[in-house]
């Protein structure tokens, strides 16, 4: 569990973590250590979600794990899994046909002792990004990163040991990292990738960093707090660059997508970086991020009035989202396609 939660991202595809954590679940239950087994199952679902596993199959597996948690009376793990279930249900159909009566008991979100606060803000930010609520995504993302930034005393000691003089850049980094820590010279030593590997799960931060960067680019396009969002984007690009340097398989497509979106703000460049992100995501098996890159490329081509390329990219995005199992995203892309077709006819 420790290896696949903290270290394996540097050596193996995320998909390998899904398989190994499932084995850990089976081993824990068969040996009488249901607490460890179910915790591995919880992390398996997280790995599967961010690896682009089919959402409808993942929902069935979550429901099976919820049944196990009822059997073994694991309430804390159950609440975390219910938050994941709400996220998957939202990504499929906004919970219209896939929601259940049971919901996570998150308690008082203002109570610093509430261990579910972090998970609640975390999954809320992810849901809001994928359904297009940029403002709410930033709100929940900021809450999430502020909690991550607090860290624990033991984590700080370990971080100091690994980072040495670079630890000072970590201090105060939350949702809005300080600009002085984001220079090109420091992008290889920026502590994001090191700090993330010390956290209980590397994926607990890397996905929000990616989405916060993309979300901020969306807000920049809407002329919302441009300077502040530019700082977030620079931080996200630096973090993804450092992550991609450690694991090309897991992070290159994410880094290239952020670069493509950043470059597209000028509306004067080709789509080659989008194409690289799409191809990288395809090779790594991240069907959801392949769809996202196709979607962003299509919307960029629409903005620069290249309707033929826009239709091509958006059709690819729809195919990817269909394979992912996200009816919400398929409907969004279909709406964009219908509008483009109508415009072309006129």
């Amino acid at each position: 569990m420790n290896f696949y939660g903290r270290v394996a991202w540097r050596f193996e595809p995320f998909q390998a973590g899904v398989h190994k954590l499932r084995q850990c679940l089976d081993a824990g239950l068969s040996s009488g250590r249901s607490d460890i087994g179910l915790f591995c199952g919880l992390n398996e679902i997280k790995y599967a979600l961010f690896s682009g596993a089919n959402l409808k199959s993942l929902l069935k597996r979550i429901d099976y794990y919820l049944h196990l948690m009822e059997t073994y009376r694991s309430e804390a793990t159950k609440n975390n899994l219910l938050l994941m279930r709400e996220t998957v249900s939202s990504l499929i159909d906004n919970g219209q046909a896939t929601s259940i009566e049971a919901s996570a008991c998150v308690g008082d979100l203002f109570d610093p002792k509430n261990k579910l606060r972090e998970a609640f803000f975390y999954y809320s930010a992810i849901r809001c990004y994928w359904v297009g609520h940029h403002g709410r995504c930033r709100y929940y993302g900021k809450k999430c990163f502020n909690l991550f930034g607090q860290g624990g005393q033991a984590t700080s000691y370990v971080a100091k040991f690994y980072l040495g003089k670079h630890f000072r850049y970590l201090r105060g980094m939350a949702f809005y990292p300080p600009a002085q820590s984001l220079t090109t010279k420091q992008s290889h030593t920026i502590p994001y990738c090191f700090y993330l590997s010390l956290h209980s799960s590397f994926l607990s931060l890397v996905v929000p960093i990616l989405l916060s960067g993309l979300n901020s680019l969306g807000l920049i396009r809407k002329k919302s707090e441009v300077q502040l969002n530019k700082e977030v984007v620079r931080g996200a690009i630096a973090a993804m660059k450092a992550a991609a340097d450690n694991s090309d398989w897991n992070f290159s497509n994410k880094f290239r997508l952020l670069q493509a979106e950043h470059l597209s703000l000028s509306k004067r460049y080709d789509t080659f970086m989008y194409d690289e992100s799409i191809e990288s995501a395809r090779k790594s098996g991240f069907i959801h991020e392949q769809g996202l890159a196709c979607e962003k490329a299509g919307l960029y081509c629409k903005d620069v009035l290249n309707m033929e390329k826009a239709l091509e990219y958006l059709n690819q995005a729809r195919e990817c989202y269909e394979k992912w199992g996200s009816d919400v995203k398929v409907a969004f892309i279909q709406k964009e396609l219908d509008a483009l077709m109508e415009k072309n006819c006129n």
Side-chain angles (χ1 to χ4, degrees), residues 9 193 202 238-256:
W9 59 271
C193 58
F202 180 74
M240 286 301 109
K241 173 66 168 67
D245 286 344
N246 279 274
S247 176
D248 180 78
W249 178 282
N250 289 325
F251 302 112
S252 280
N253 72 295
K254 301 169 178 63
F255 171 54
R256 290 183 175 118

Side-chain angles (χ1 to χ4, degrees), residues 274-308:
Y274 285 116
D275 292 334
E276 289 186 2
S277 178
I278 292 166
E279 181 60 16
S280 177
R282 186 193 65 78
K283 287 182 177 178
S284 295
F286 301 140
I287 192 68
H288 59 320
E289 290 171 353
Q290 182 183 346
L292 182 60
C294 291
E295 174 191 335
K296 296 297 185 184
L299 295 177
Y300 168 70
C301 289
K302 175 186 170 184
D303 285 346
V304 297
L305 304 179
N306 188 342
M307 300 308 176
E308 184 178 347

Side-chain angles (χ1 to χ4, degrees), residues 21-192:
L21 287 166
R22 188 173 298 177
Q23 289 182 334
C24 291
L25 166 71
D26 294 338
L29 295 180
S30 63
S31 64
R33 295 301 307 271
S34 61
D35 53 342
I36 294 176
L38 292 173
F39 186 66
C40 289
L42 187 71
N43 280 276
E44 176 214 327
I45 297 299
K46 183 185 289 187
Y47 262 81
L49 176 60
F50 299 129
S51 296
N54 180 271
L55 294 171
K56 293 170 184 177
S57 298
L58 188 59
L59 196 68
K60 291 179 181 179
R61 188 146 194 94
I62 290 173
D63 287 341
Y64 169 63
Y65 285 178
L66 285 171
H67 173 71
L68 287 179
M69 288 170 189
E70 288 283 352
T71 303
Y72 290 98
R73 302 181 185 278
S74 179
E75 285 301 315
T77 311
K78 178 184 173 182
N79 278 320
N80 272 282
L81 192 60
L82 281 169
L83 285 172
M84 291 185 190
R85 195 195 189 283
E86 290 172 17
T87 300
V88 173
S89 176
S90 296
L91 293 175
I92 293 173
D93 63 358
N94 265 331
Q96 292 181 2
T98 55
S99 61
I100 56 176
E101 290 186 11
S103 59
C105 298
V106 295
D108 183 2
L109 295 175
F110 295 98
D111 181 4
K113 295 181 180 179
N114 183 354
K115 295 181 179 179
L116 279 176
R117 285 194 310 162
E118 183 180 298
F120 174 79
F121 293 135
Y122 175 69
Y123 288 110
S124 296
I126 290 169
R127 287 198 298 269
C128 288
Y129 176 78
W130 280 102
V131 298
H133 297 154
H134 295 295
R136 277 186 255 173
C137 176
R138 185 178 64 175
Y139 170 79
Y140 287 122
K142 185 175 181 179
K143 291 281 189 183
C144 174
F145 272 85
N146 283 340
L147 289 175
F148 283 140
Q150 291 170 11
Q153 191 175 34
T155 299
S156 296
Y157 289 144
V158 177
K160 285 179 181 178
F161 175 79
Y162 279 100
L163 300 175
K165 64 180 181 180
H166 300 301
F167 176 74
R168 67 182 184 276
Y169 297 123
L170 180 61
R171 298 177 64 85
M173 275 193 182
F175 192 62
Y176 300 121
Q180 67 267 25
S181 68
L182 306 177
T183 64
T184 302
K185 183 178 179 180
Q186 293 163 347
S187 65
H188 293 283
T189 56
I190 192 167
Y192 273 115

